[in-house]
Amino acid sequence: MPDMSDPFDLPFFDEPGGEPAPNPPARKAGGGIAARAMAARRGPQAQTPDYVSGLNPEQRLAVETTEGPVLVLAGAGTGKTRVLTTRIAHILATGRAYPSQILAVTFTNKAAREMKTRIGVLVGEAVEGMPWLGTFHSIGVKLLRRHAELAGLRSNFTILDTDDVIRLIKQLIQAEGLDDKRWPARQFAMMIDGWKNKGYGPKDIPEGDARSFANGKGRELYQAYQDRLKTLNACDFGDLLCLPIRMFREHPDVLAEYHRKFKYILVDEYQDTNTAQYMWLRLLAQRPKAERPTSPLRGGRAEGAGGGSLGTEGPPPLTPPLQGEGDAAASENRVNLCCVGDDDQSIYGWRGAEVDNILRFEKDFPGAAVIRLERNYRSTAHILATASHLIAHNEGRLGKTLFTEHSDPDASKVMVHAAWDSEEEARAVGETIEQLQRPDREGRRHNLNDMAILVRASFQMREFEDRFVTLGLNYRVIGGPRFYERQEIRDAMAYFRVVAQPADDLAFERIVNTPKRGLGETTIRQLHDIARARGVPMLTAAEDIVETEELKAKPRASLRNVVENFRRWQKMLDNTPHTELAEIIFEESGYTDMWKNDRSAEAPGRLENLKELIRSMEEYESLRSFLEHVALVMDTEQNAEQDAVTIMTLHSAKGLEYETVFLPGWEEGLFPHQRSLDEGGRSGLEEERRLAYVGVTRAKKNLHIWFVSNRRIHGLWQSTIPSRFLDELPEAHVDVAEAGSSYGGYGGAFAQGRGGNRQNPYGASRFDSVGSGNNAGSGSFSNTYATPGWARAQANKTAATDRNWGTRSGAGVERIGYGETDSQRGAGRGSVKTRTIEGELIAKSTMDTPSAFSVGDRVFHQKFGNGNVAAIEGNKLTIDFDKAGQKRVLDGFVTGV
């Protein structure tokens, strides 16, 4: 058997073989004479350890129930981390185990560091002797380093990162003679990761999965990948779990050694474990009868048993164990296992997490103690009641009800708001944040750092980012780049910048070979040299070099096509709507096709972000004004220390808390997400409801839930219906925003414009009194915004923005309207006048009269040629062109045939 020595470890008292060491006297449950003498030295008040004195009864029970299997169901904000760290400190302080005999597993390195720090505060330097405190993967590395030869590796093996894995798989795909564009390496890497999360080796994957890739060669490619890893003396992250599982099954003597080593096993966030992690844990925790540990360090109650004999018998390697396997021997087994988790917060099923792992804990470990932590220290009674009522609609749960002992009669109820569309939603949330920033009666302000907007999908962020820039509100995006910092958005903006400003060499260099055009570093270096030598932009240098023989034929042809495209787009700049021009650029450059052909999981989201980018351009007069706006957005620094509103997805928010939380987008299809419903059925719906529960329980004092009647989805405005989750909220703890509030809608203008005193069901709008009658100039929102954000925007306005206000893609425009009249600014949209270029009306984005064309009419477009009108919306025509396909254009740009 390989050497099991550990420089941090102490000899086992029950180790067989070798010269037996003198057995120390058995210690009692209280820790023995030495422990009681230490306590006596500190005085009678120390009989109750300080580390348990501040715990509530449920927490203390979870800490002191040290023997046998224990499941701690810890609700949101109930002190889960404190219980886990105090439990470890209690085991060490009472002498039940040495630090090296405790296996403590977390999910992230950050959580492991925090746990180690907290334990150190409680027990001092003893925490430094805990080599088995870490993540699943870090402990897997330690196991493989010790027993590398049993896993078919050498101890100096390499762990490949994602890029290395993709590059290796691409080589294998090409070696098989397959098209790596049709069968992308990234896609197969994700499939392998999913198989390893389930504990599948090449022989274990289902036949359907094996045949779903590379014309049925999935299994062979997986086997070739594993063989190649072995040749390279390398493994990927999935192997850090799968290889120890196989090692334990094939070498029961090694497994038995770790059964004797680990006296106590603790697992955090158990609801997020996948199948492989579950198998790994059961192998270590469930012990055959013959391996029942008899260490004299044990103390406390004798109840609790574990089932299963996975170490010696069972299915072939890497095959998931059957539920309840080995229950016949359960009464003879004991395992000191403590799993802490919350089945109501299992929200990572999309990456392999199995909520069933925590739901079947009592079946896997018969006689297990289940302790519920329901006393919440974070949220108000209204928020907790709302969360509990919502999650109670799930069937697959163990059940618990959160409560708080700190009732506040003045606490706000959960607020539900309705808005007309996503723009109004963002505007109203921004106004609420501005109002919260105003000093209260005691002069206190609500810090932006204590507010968060939690969205279901990342595309929702863009509306809020743009609104906050307009208001001058600081914000930060957590869990991913801000909208305008995403790769596909930066690429798109680079195209736009070169069209609007041909001398922008940085932008040109970014996209000259994106998508791939065969223009490598050598060609780009030549362009640099020529541009510097002649003192001209790179685009001009490219225009010159393609007329010479300095480049080879293929790159010269590709570069000529790039130059011609940009020159053509620049000519279209002055007479084509900038949104339509953006679509043309994406299509003719091949950028859209590049992402359509990409089979990675991120590709659909990138295409949606491009559609959202074009949609956002509609609000701006010209391409240049849009580029200036984005420049201002990008100039907002991401400073973690500044006071800023946090924007993130619900999945990224788990474990965090904020004074005020906004939950926008509670509509069917978005939340619950349609993809989850289609792919997961009832289980998908229940995971979406758990995600809603997580969002609700992030709020400490104020919670605002929003839904809209219209939202742009896949580039088209669609009517939406409220989420089913809204009807699952308790009426006693929820208030609906009154119609007369300042949240969006049409208010007085609604009534006046339709005759009579009809009430606007969506509430009054701040625009109703703008520039109208005797109310002009009065009220909280009259001719200018009476908000801190508007004041900041006015103070930050520069001469450059004023000069750009009246330009359209560089051409002079008489800019009257859209907030500006002949006599004043801020007069509202009702007074917008026609926009003209050089005195001639080119086109209007909206018209009061119907289009002159009818469905079926034959028309001609200067760019797209002939086509037939397929649909009409105002003055916007959807046309099926003979060669260019279906496009949406203004009727002012087509003529009848």
PDB file of all heavy atoms in Angstrom, residues 103-131:
ATOM      1  N   LEU A 103     -12.448  16.481   7.955  1.00  0.00           N
ATOM      2  CA  LEU A 103     -12.598  16.803   6.540  1.00  0.00           C
ATOM      3  C   LEU A 103     -13.726  17.817   6.415  1.00  0.00           C
ATOM      4  O   LEU A 103     -14.879  17.513   6.737  1.00  0.00           O
ATOM      5  CB  LEU A 103     -12.919  15.543   5.730  1.00  0.00           C
ATOM      6  CG  LEU A 103     -13.292  15.754   4.249  1.00  0.00           C
ATOM      7  CD1 LEU A 103     -12.124  16.352   3.481  1.00  0.00           C
ATOM      8  CD2 LEU A 103     -13.738  14.440   3.618  1.00  0.00           C
ATOM      9  N   ALA A 104     -13.393  19.047   5.998  1.00  0.00           N
ATOM     10  CA  ALA A 104     -14.388  20.114   5.845  1.00  0.00           C
ATOM     11  C   ALA A 104     -14.359  20.585   4.396  1.00  0.00           C
ATOM     12  O   ALA A 104     -13.322  21.047   3.910  1.00  0.00           O
ATOM     13  CB  ALA A 104     -14.084  21.271   6.796  1.00  0.00           C
ATOM     14  N   VAL A 105     -15.492  20.472   3.706  1.00  0.00           N
ATOM     15  CA  VAL A 105     -15.555  20.728   2.269  1.00  0.00           C
ATOM     16  C   VAL A 105     -16.481  21.902   1.990  1.00  0.00           C
ATOM     17  O   VAL A 105     -17.606  21.958   2.505  1.00  0.00           O
ATOM     18  CB  VAL A 105     -16.051  19.487   1.503  1.00  0.00           C
ATOM     19  CG1 VAL A 105     -15.919  19.703   0.010  1.00  0.00           C
ATOM     20  CG2 VAL A 105     -15.281  18.249   1.924  1.00  0.00           C
ATOM     21  N   THR A 106     -15.998  22.841   1.189  1.00  0.00           N
ATOM     22  CA  THR A 106     -16.809  23.974   0.739  1.00  0.00           C
ATOM     23  C   THR A 106     -16.814  23.990  -0.786  1.00  0.00           C
ATOM     24  O   THR A 106     -16.199  23.141  -1.429  1.00  0.00           O
ATOM     25  CB  THR A 106     -16.238  25.299   1.260  1.00  0.00           C
ATOM     26  OG1 THR A 106     -14.959  25.525   0.644  1.00  0.00           O
ATOM     27  CG2 THR A 106     -16.059  25.280   2.758  1.00  0.00           C
ATOM     28  N   PHE A 107     -17.488  24.985  -1.368  1.00  0.00           N
ATOM     29  CA  PHE A 107     -17.600  25.037  -2.821  1.00  0.00           C
ATOM     30  C   PHE A 107     -16.650  26.034  -3.468  1.00  0.00           C
ATOM     31  O   PHE A 107     -16.318  25.892  -4.633  1.00  0.00           O
ATOM     32  CB  PHE A 107     -19.044  25.358  -3.233  1.00  0.00           C
ATOM     33  CG  PHE A 107     -19.855  24.136  -3.482  1.00  0.00           C
ATOM     34  CD1 PHE A 107     -20.451  23.462  -2.435  1.00  0.00           C
ATOM     35  CD2 PHE A 107     -20.008  23.625  -4.756  1.00  0.00           C
ATOM     36  CE1 PHE A 107     -21.184  22.319  -2.645  1.00  0.00           C
ATOM     37  CE2 PHE A 107     -20.735  22.479  -4.989  1.00  0.00           C
ATOM     38  CZ  PHE A 107     -21.327  21.823  -3.928  1.00  0.00           C
ATOM     39  N   THR A 108     -16.248  27.062  -2.754  1.00  0.00           N
ATOM     40  CA  THR A 108     -15.380  28.075  -3.354  1.00  0.00           C
ATOM     41  C   THR A 108     -14.172  28.313  -2.469  1.00  0.00           C
ATOM     42  O   THR A 108     -14.215  28.098  -1.241  1.00  0.00           O
ATOM     43  CB  THR A 108     -16.131  29.410  -3.535  1.00  0.00           C
ATOM     44  OG1 THR A 108     -16.476  29.946  -2.245  1.00  0.00           O
ATOM     45  CG2 THR A 108     -17.396  29.218  -4.364  1.00  0.00           C
ATOM     46  N   ASN A 109     -13.093  28.759  -3.077  1.00  0.00           N
ATOM     47  CA  ASN A 109     -11.892  29.088  -2.301  1.00  0.00           C
ATOM     48  C   ASN A 109     -12.160  30.230  -1.330  1.00  0.00           C
ATOM     49  O   ASN A 109     -11.603  30.258  -0.232  1.00  0.00           O
ATOM     50  CB  ASN A 109     -10.760  29.474  -3.257  1.00  0.00           C
ATOM     51  CG  ASN A 109     -10.260  28.285  -4.060  1.00  0.00           C
ATOM     52  OD1 ASN A 109     -10.079  27.199  -3.519  1.00  0.00           O
ATOM     53  ND2 ASN A 109     -10.054  28.486  -5.352  1.00  0.00           N
ATOM     54  N   LYS A 110     -13.013  31.172  -1.741  1.00  0.00           N
ATOM     55  CA  LYS A 110     -13.355  32.282  -0.860  1.00  0.00           C
ATOM     56  C   LYS A 110     -14.045  31.779   0.398  1.00  0.00           C
ATOM     57  O   LYS A 110     -13.730  32.213   1.513  1.00  0.00           O
ATOM     58  CB  LYS A 110     -14.247  33.276  -1.600  1.00  0.00           C
ATOM     59  CG  LYS A 110     -14.670  34.467  -0.773  1.00  0.00           C
ATOM     60  CD  LYS A 110     -15.573  35.414  -1.561  1.00  0.00           C
ATOM     61  CE  LYS A 110     -16.043  36.578  -0.693  1.00  0.00           C
ATOM     62  NZ  LYS A 110     -16.954  37.485  -1.457  1.00  0.00           N
ATOM     63  N   ALA A 111     -14.995  30.855   0.235  1.00  0.00           N
ATOM     64  CA  ALA A 111     -15.693  30.297   1.392  1.00  0.00           C
ATOM     65  C   ALA A 111     -14.738  29.524   2.286  1.00  0.00           C
ATOM     66  O   ALA A 111     -14.843  29.570   3.521  1.00  0.00           O
ATOM     67  CB  ALA A 111     -16.833  29.406   0.933  1.00  0.00           C
ATOM     68  N   ALA A 112     -13.783  28.810   1.680  1.00  0.00           N
ATOM     69  CA  ALA A 112     -12.812  28.053   2.473  1.00  0.00           C
ATOM     70  C   ALA A 112     -11.930  28.996   3.295  1.00  0.00           C
ATOM     71  O   ALA A 112     -11.648  28.735   4.471  1.00  0.00           O
ATOM     72  CB  ALA A 112     -11.957  27.187   1.556  1.00  0.00           C
ATOM     73  N   ARG A 113     -11.499  30.100   2.671  1.00  0.00           N
ATOM     74  CA  ARG A 113     -10.673  31.070   3.409  1.00  0.00           C
ATOM     75  C   ARG A 113     -11.455  31.696   4.554  1.00  0.00           C
ATOM     76  O   ARG A 113     -10.936  31.869   5.667  1.00  0.00           O
ATOM     77  CB  ARG A 113     -10.167  32.141   2.454  1.00  0.00           C
ATOM     78  CG  ARG A 113      -9.085  31.667   1.486  1.00  0.00           C
ATOM     79  CD  ARG A 113      -8.436  32.847   0.797  1.00  0.00           C
ATOM     80  NE  ARG A 113      -9.378  33.606   0.001  1.00  0.00           N
ATOM     81  CZ  ARG A 113      -9.631  33.380  -1.285  1.00  0.00           C
ATOM     82  NH1 ARG A 113      -9.019  32.389  -1.923  1.00  0.00           N
ATOM     83  NH2 ARG A 113     -10.499  34.121  -1.957  1.00  0.00           N
ATOM     84  N   GLU A 114     -12.714  32.037   4.291  1.00  0.00           N
ATOM     85  CA  GLU A 114     -13.534  32.650   5.343  1.00  0.00           C
ATOM     86  C   GLU A 114     -13.744  31.668   6.493  1.00  0.00           C
ATOM     87  O   GLU A 114     -13.671  32.045   7.670  1.00  0.00           O
ATOM     88  CB  GLU A 114     -14.883  33.078   4.761  1.00  0.00           C
ATOM     89  CG  GLU A 114     -15.794  33.742   5.784  1.00  0.00           C
ATOM     90  CD  GLU A 114     -17.141  34.124   5.196  1.00  0.00           C
ATOM     91  OE1 GLU A 114     -17.349  33.902   3.991  1.00  0.00           O
ATOM     92  OE2 GLU A 114     -17.974  34.637   5.953  1.00  0.00           O
ATOM     93  N   MET A 115     -13.990  30.409   6.162  1.00  0.00           N
ATOM     94  CA  MET A 115     -14.187  29.405   7.202  1.00  0.00           C
ATOM     95  C   MET A 115     -12.925  29.243   8.048  1.00  0.00           C
ATOM     96  O   MET A 115     -12.988  29.192   9.286  1.00  0.00           O
ATOM     97  CB  MET A 115     -14.587  28.072   6.572  1.00  0.00           C
ATOM     98  CG  MET A 115     -14.901  26.986   7.598  1.00  0.00           C
ATOM     99  SD  MET A 115     -15.288  25.394   6.819  1.00  0.00           S
ATOM    100  CE  MET A 115     -16.756  25.830   5.904  1.00  0.00           C
ATOM    101  N   LYS A 116     -11.779  29.195   7.385  1.00  0.00           N
ATOM    102  CA  LYS A 116     -10.520  29.030   8.116  1.00  0.00           C
ATOM    103  C   LYS A 116     -10.258  30.224   9.026  1.00  0.00           C
ATOM    104  O   LYS A 116      -9.804  30.065  10.166  1.00  0.00           O
ATOM    105  CB  LYS A 116      -9.376  28.854   7.123  1.00  0.00           C
ATOM    106  CG  LYS A 116      -8.044  28.499   7.761  1.00  0.00           C
ATOM    107  CD  LYS A 116      -7.003  28.156   6.707  1.00  0.00           C
ATOM    108  CE  LYS A 116      -5.692  27.714   7.351  1.00  0.00           C
ATOM    109  NZ  LYS A 116      -4.676  27.345   6.331  1.00  0.00           N
ATOM    110  N   THR A 117     -10.564  31.424   8.542  1.00  0.00           N
ATOM    111  CA  THR A 117     -10.364  32.621   9.346  1.00  0.00           C
ATOM    112  C   THR A 117     -11.253  32.610  10.582  1.00  0.00           C
ATOM    113  O   THR A 117     -10.810  32.900  11.703  1.00  0.00           O
ATOM    114  CB  THR A 117     -10.644  33.877   8.512  1.00  0.00           C
ATOM    115  OG1 THR A 117      -9.762  33.906   7.390  1.00  0.00           O
ATOM    116  CG2 THR A 117     -10.460  35.138   9.337  1.00  0.00           C
ATOM    117  N   ARG A 118     -12.519  32.240  10.393  1.00  0.00           N
ATOM    118  CA  ARG A 118     -13.457  32.229  11.525  1.00  0.00           C
ATOM    119  C   ARG A 118     -13.072  31.171  12.553  1.00  0.00           C
ATOM    120  O   ARG A 118     -13.160  31.401  13.766  1.00  0.00           O
ATOM    121  CB  ARG A 118     -14.876  31.981  11.027  1.00  0.00           C
ATOM    122  CG  ARG A 118     -15.466  33.133  10.227  1.00  0.00           C
ATOM    123  CD  ARG A 118     -16.967  32.967  10.134  1.00  0.00           C
ATOM    124  NE  ARG A 118     -17.604  33.981   9.324  1.00  0.00           N
ATOM    125  CZ  ARG A 118     -18.914  34.191   9.287  1.00  0.00           C
ATOM    126  NH1 ARG A 118     -19.714  33.450  10.020  1.00  0.00           N
ATOM    127  NH2 ARG A 118     -19.434  35.126   8.525  1.00  0.00           N
ATOM    128  N   ILE A 119     -12.653  30.012  12.087  1.00  0.00           N
ATOM    129  CA  ILE A 119     -12.230  28.968  13.017  1.00  0.00           C
ATOM    130  C   ILE A 119     -10.990  29.422  13.779  1.00  0.00           C
ATOM    131  O   ILE A 119     -10.858  29.183  14.986  1.00  0.00           O
ATOM    132  CB  ILE A 119     -11.963  27.651  12.265  1.00  0.00           C
ATOM    133  CG1 ILE A 119     -13.241  27.145  11.608  1.00  0.00           C
ATOM    134  CG2 ILE A 119     -11.411  26.593  13.216  1.00  0.00           C
ATOM    135  CD1 ILE A 119     -13.021  25.969  10.684  1.00  0.00           C
ATOM    136  N   GLY A 120     -10.081  30.105  13.076  1.00  0.00           N
ATOM    137  CA  GLY A 120      -8.880  30.611  13.733  1.00  0.00           C
ATOM    138  C   GLY A 120      -9.200  31.576  14.853  1.00  0.00           C
ATOM    139  O   GLY A 120      -8.528  31.585  15.897  1.00  0.00           O
ATOM    140  N   VAL A 121     -10.218  32.403  14.666  1.00  0.00           N
ATOM    141  CA  VAL A 121     -10.635  33.335  15.718  1.00  0.00           C
ATOM    142  C   VAL A 121     -11.108  32.578  16.944  1.00  0.00           C
ATOM    143  O   VAL A 121     -10.897  32.999  18.091  1.00  0.00           O
ATOM    144  CB  VAL A 121     -11.736  34.274  15.187  1.00  0.00           C
ATOM    145  CG1 VAL A 121     -12.327  35.110  16.312  1.00  0.00           C
ATOM    146  CG2 VAL A 121     -11.183  35.174  14.091  1.00  0.00           C
ATOM    147  N   LEU A 122     -11.756  31.422  16.724  1.00  0.00           N
ATOM    148  CA  LEU A 122     -12.335  30.670  17.829  1.00  0.00           C
ATOM    149  C   LEU A 122     -11.324  29.767  18.543  1.00  0.00           C
ATOM    150  O   LEU A 122     -11.357  29.632  19.768  1.00  0.00           O
ATOM    151  CB  LEU A 122     -13.502  29.819  17.320  1.00  0.00           C
ATOM    152  CG  LEU A 122     -14.710  30.576  16.760  1.00  0.00           C
ATOM    153  CD1 LEU A 122     -15.725  29.600  16.180  1.00  0.00           C
ATOM    154  CD2 LEU A 122     -15.358  31.435  17.837  1.00  0.00           C
ATOM    155  N   VAL A 123     -10.420  29.137  17.782  1.00  0.00           N
ATOM    156  CA  VAL A 123      -9.536  28.134  18.387  1.00  0.00           C
ATOM    157  C   VAL A 123      -8.061  28.477  18.252  1.00  0.00           C
ATOM    158  O   VAL A 123      -7.207  27.720  18.719  1.00  0.00           O
ATOM    159  CB  VAL A 123      -9.799  26.734  17.784  1.00  0.00           C
ATOM    160  CG1 VAL A 123     -11.232  26.320  18.000  1.00  0.00           C
ATOM    161  CG2 VAL A 123      -9.448  26.712  16.297  1.00  0.00           C
ATOM    162  N   GLY A 124      -7.747  29.576  17.579  1.00  0.00           N
ATOM    163  CA  GLY A 124      -6.353  29.978  17.487  1.00  0.00           C
ATOM    164  C   GLY A 124      -5.577  29.208  16.437  1.00  0.00           C
ATOM    165  O   GLY A 124      -6.101  28.832  15.379  1.00  0.00           O
ATOM    166  N   GLU A 125      -4.305  28.907  16.741  1.00  0.00           N
ATOM    167  CA  GLU A 125      -3.401  28.321  15.752  1.00  0.00           C
ATOM    168  C   GLU A 125      -3.741  26.881  15.396  1.00  0.00           C
ATOM    169  O   GLU A 125      -3.186  26.340  14.443  1.00  0.00           O
ATOM    170  CB  GLU A 125      -1.970  28.377  16.280  1.00  0.00           C
ATOM    171  CG  GLU A 125      -1.439  29.797  16.443  1.00  0.00           C
ATOM    172  CD  GLU A 125      -0.015  29.813  16.932  1.00  0.00           C
ATOM    173  OE1 GLU A 125       0.511  28.700  17.185  1.00  0.00           O
ATOM    174  OE2 GLU A 125       0.562  30.896  17.057  1.00  0.00           O
ATOM    175  N   ALA A 126      -4.645  26.267  16.115  1.00  0.00           N
ATOM    176  CA  ALA A 126      -5.001  24.876  15.805  1.00  0.00           C
ATOM    177  C   ALA A 126      -5.547  24.738  14.396  1.00  0.00           C
ATOM    178  O   ALA A 126      -5.425  23.679  13.771  1.00  0.00           O
ATOM    179  CB  ALA A 126      -6.033  24.363  16.814  1.00  0.00           C
ATOM    180  N   VAL A 127      -6.119  25.814  13.865  1.00  0.00           N
ATOM    181  CA  VAL A 127      -6.691  25.747  12.521  1.00  0.00           C
ATOM    182  C   VAL A 127      -5.614  25.510  11.470  1.00  0.00           C
ATOM    183  O   VAL A 127      -5.896  24.986  10.377  1.00  0.00           O
ATOM    184  CB  VAL A 127      -7.476  27.044  12.221  1.00  0.00           C
ATOM    185  CG1 VAL A 127      -6.533  28.218  12.033  1.00  0.00           C
ATOM    186  CG2 VAL A 127      -8.348  26.869  10.972  1.00  0.00           C
ATOM    187  N   GLU A 128      -4.360  25.886  11.767  1.00  0.00           N
ATOM    188  CA  GLU A 128      -3.285  25.674  10.801  1.00  0.00           C
ATOM    189  C   GLU A 128      -2.973  24.201  10.596  1.00  0.00           C
ATOM    190  O   GLU A 128      -2.307  23.816   9.635  1.00  0.00           O
ATOM    191  CB  GLU A 128      -2.019  26.407  11.258  1.00  0.00           C
ATOM    192  CG  GLU A 128      -2.183  27.915  11.362  1.00  0.00           C
ATOM    193  CD  GLU A 128      -2.586  28.541  10.033  1.00  0.00           C
ATOM    194  OE1 GLU A 128      -2.173  28.008   8.981  1.00  0.00           O
ATOM    195  OE2 GLU A 128      -3.310  29.551  10.039  1.00  0.00           O
ATOM    196  N   GLY A 129      -3.438  23.354  11.508  1.00  0.00           N
ATOM    197  CA  GLY A 129      -3.221  21.921  11.363  1.00  0.00           C
ATOM    198  C   GLY A 129      -4.371  21.210  10.695  1.00  0.00           C
ATOM    199  O   GLY A 129      -4.546  20.005  10.886  1.00  0.00           O
ATOM    200  N   MET A 130      -5.178  21.944   9.904  1.00  0.00           N
ATOM    201  CA  MET A 130      -6.325  21.352   9.198  1.00  0.00           C
ATOM    202  C   MET A 130      -6.032  21.299   7.701  1.00  0.00           C
ATOM    203  O   MET A 130      -6.496  22.148   6.934  1.00  0.00           O
ATOM    204  CB  MET A 130      -7.597  22.153   9.461  1.00  0.00           C
ATOM    205  CG  MET A 130      -8.107  22.112  10.879  1.00  0.00           C
ATOM    206  SD  MET A 130      -9.703  22.960  11.070  1.00  0.00           S
ATOM    207  CE  MET A 130     -10.782  21.944  10.060  1.00  0.00           C
ATOM    208  N   PRO A 131      -5.262  20.310   7.249  1.00  0.00           N
ATOM    209  CA  PRO A 131      -4.922  20.242   5.822  1.00  0.00           C
ATOM    210  C   PRO A 131      -6.082  19.810   4.949  1.00  0.00           C
ATOM    211  O   PRO A 131      -6.015  19.923   3.720  1.00  0.00           O
ATOM    212  CB  PRO A 131      -3.800  19.204   5.785  1.00  0.00           C
ATOM    213  CG  PRO A 131      -4.095  18.310   6.949  1.00  0.00           C
ATOM    214  CD  PRO A 131      -4.656  19.202   8.014  1.00  0.00           C
TER     215      PRO A 131
END
